Amino acid sequence: MALETSVIQDKLTNKFGDNVTEFNQIKDIFTFEVAPDSMNDVMRFLKEDSVLRFNFLTDLCGVHYPDNEKDKQFAMVYHMHNWVDNIRIRFKSFLNGDNPEIDTVTNLFLSANWQERETYDFYGIIFKGHPQLKRILNMDEMVSFPLRKEFPLEDGGRTDKDDRFFGRTTDNR
């Protein structure tokens, strides 16, 4: 019998209480939120529990939400896969905008090493305990993090572009 999402939710809430919340089925993926201080323990439990068996870290990435309250301006998103039951899950940990830090998961999955370095390089999220956290794709001298939404994508002073021709205005006269 396949692993039911209710079993995943029950096991997580029994073990971690309010540190795991917002359970939701979005399309085909069961999702939830994890408090950043508990993220490493939750991931270890998901990996090592004999019923859950989420033994593959598919992906991890950062997200910047500059319009959110200060404690939720960054998020780390993790995707894990249980190959035995062919179940995928996604969970998020929201991070503070002034100090985006979270524990590394390289102690659980070596594949996280490169992905955490990439996330640091583009979002500036610090992974505490990472064995070699440094820029991986951008120049070392770079002081900003290019995927943060702190800078406008286009120069507002450009006069050579007319938004009417790009469908960006409702009035197309």
Side-chain angles (χ1 to χ4, degrees):
M1 186 166 128
L3 180 62
E4 299 288 333
T5 55
S6 61
V7 172
I8 300 168
Q9 181 173 348
D10 290 345
K11 287 183 88 58
L12 288 172
T13 53
N14 288 338
K15 179 83 174 172
F16 298 101
D18 291 340
N19 290 326
V20 184
T21 58
E22 304 294 327
F23 293 95
N24 201 355
Q25 183 79 27
I26 299 177
K27 302 204 182 204
D28 291 339
I29 297 182
F30 187 59
T31 65
F32 50 92
E33 289 181 20
V34 177
D37 295 341
S38 301
M39 198 283 307
N40 201 296
D41 294 333
V42 169
M43 186 175 284
R44 179 182 303 280
F45 183 70
L46 287 165
K47 178 182 179 185
E48 296 176 354
D49 184 80
S50 61
V51 174
L52 299 179
R53 300 180 287 189
F54 285 94
N55 53 8
F56 186 72
L57 176 66
T58 307
D59 188 25
L60 67 87
C61 63
V63 182
H64 187 200
Y65 300 105
D67 298 331
N68 280 4
E69 63 187 72
K70 190 63 85 177
D71 286 338
K72 290 190 166 195
Q73 287 190 345
F74 286 94
M76 278 305 305
V77 181
Y78 299 90
H79 293 246
M80 295 183 75
H81 189 186
N82 170 332
W83 285 346
V84 177
D85 298 305
N86 195 23
I87 305 283
R88 296 175 188 268
I89 59 171
R90 174 180 55 220
F91 54 98
K92 271 185 188 179
S93 286
F94 284 98
L95 308 174
N96 184 290
D98 291 334
N99 189 24
E101 288 186 350
I102 194 163
D103 290 334
T104 182
V105 294
T106 54
N107 59 325
L108 301 171
F109 296 98
L110 291 177
S111 63
N113 188 321
W114 191 91
Q115 296 174 41
E116 287 181 350
R117 287 173 65 182
E118 181 183 42
T119 302
Y120 164 73
D121 195 3
F122 284 99
Y123 291 94
I125 294 173
I126 305 296
F127 295 91
K128 295 182 289 186
H130 190 282
Q132 191 182 16
L133 191 62
K134 66 177 189 175
R135 289 199 179 268
I136 192 169
L137 297 171
N138 290 301
M139 298 180 305
D140 290 337
E141 299 80 21
M142 195 169 180
V143 294
S144 63
F145 301 101
L147 289 184
R148 288 186 177 189
K149 298 175 183 172
E150 297 169 338
F151 307 102
L153 293 178
E154 295 181 16
D155 180 4
R158 286 183 69 172
T159 57
D160 60 329
K161 292 175 66 178
D162 189 339
D163 283 344
R164 293 178 302 162
F165 301 127
F166 297 97
R168 296 177 182 154
T169 61
T170 55
D171 186 12
N172 204 16
R173 292 185 209 180

